[in-house]
Amino acid sequence: MTNEIKDFLRIGEDEVDFMLCEIGGTVGDIEGLPFFEAIRQFIHERARGQSILMHLTLLPYLAASGELKTKPTQHSVKELQSIGLAPDVLVCRSEHPIPEKEREKIALFCNVRKEAVIPAYDLQTIYEAPLAYHARVSTRRCSTPSPSLRLRGRTSRAGPM
């Protein structure tokens, strides 16, 4: 099954500069295990610096104590690590601002750089998301401990940004 998933991921890979692959579901659910294993193998088969693993996680807010809880994020990262996946970037969903102290704590206990703990605040519509990320995140903030991605030598058709 994992080979079939990897074969699907490879379709058209020579025609693009990058690929974004989303695996939905909850880390630890048995239904997702073949997909997580396929991604682990897919990343392993590439040269170092050719893949970035991003993990979207929820930081719940407890109104009674007035604080964000980081333990669910730490637990989901631990689950990923237990199956051989180590996130480079954590995108943290939250309905409240994430204090620097909490970002530092998440980074320390999830083994990512603080700059790679990216807030993703709740928005009115999904269509606001690209603008919100563009306003908050530069490519430098997304840098990972591994070497920068080495894209194959192709020219962009998009033109200057």
Side-chain angles (χ1 to χ4, degrees):
M1 183 173 196
T2 55
N3 286 336
E4 290 297 320
I5 296 167
K6 291 188 304 182
D7 289 345
F8 180 80
L9 291 174
R10 290 186 193 103
I11 295 172
E13 73 178 335
D14 293 332
E15 301 170 16
V16 297
D17 289 331
F18 76 94
M19 173 185 54
L20 179 65
C21 174
E22 177 184 3
I23 301 174
T26 302
V27 176
D29 283 355
I30 195 166
E31 298 86 2
L33 288 178
F35 297 94
F36 290 126
E37 176 59 19
I39 288 297
R40 188 194 66 74
Q41 291 177 20
F42 189 80
I43 290 170
H44 181 73
E45 292 166 0
R46 270 140 191 76
R48 184 167 173 85
Q50 285 293 303
S51 301
I52 293 177
L53 183 61
M54 297 177 74
H55 179 47
L56 175 66
T57 181
L58 175 66
L59 291 179
Y61 179 79
L62 294 182
S65 62
E67 64 182 355
L68 290 169
K69 301 308 284 181
T70 63
K71 198 59 85 175
T73 294
Q74 294 173 44
H75 181 71
S76 67
V77 169
K78 180 182 172 188
E79 285 291 316
L80 281 174
Q81 291 170 337
S82 75
I83 57 174
L85 294 169
D88 299 299
V89 177
L90 296 176
V91 179
C92 300
R93 295 252 340 259
S94 176
E95 57 189 43
H96 293 279
I98 304 170
E100 284 300 304
K101 180 181 168 191
E102 298 303 315
R103 286 183 60 219
E104 290 170 0
K105 179 179 177 182
I106 293 166
L108 178 64
F109 291 108
C110 294
N111 202 32
V112 299
R113 295 176 186 256
K114 185 178 87 170
E115 298 81 26
V117 178
I118 300 171
Y121 302 121
D122 290 353
L123 303 168
Q124 294 296 317
T125 71
I126 191 70
Y127 302 108
E128 295 175 31
L131 297 174
Y133 285 119
H134 181 71
R136 263 188 230 110
V137 180
S138 71
T139 55
R140 280 177 282 194
R141 281 189 72 190
C142 284
S143 65
T144 64
S146 62
S148 58
L149 289 176
R150 294 177 296 278
L151 299 176
R152 291 170 291 233
R154 295 215 286 272
T155 56
S156 171
R157 293 182 287 253
M161 293 175 75

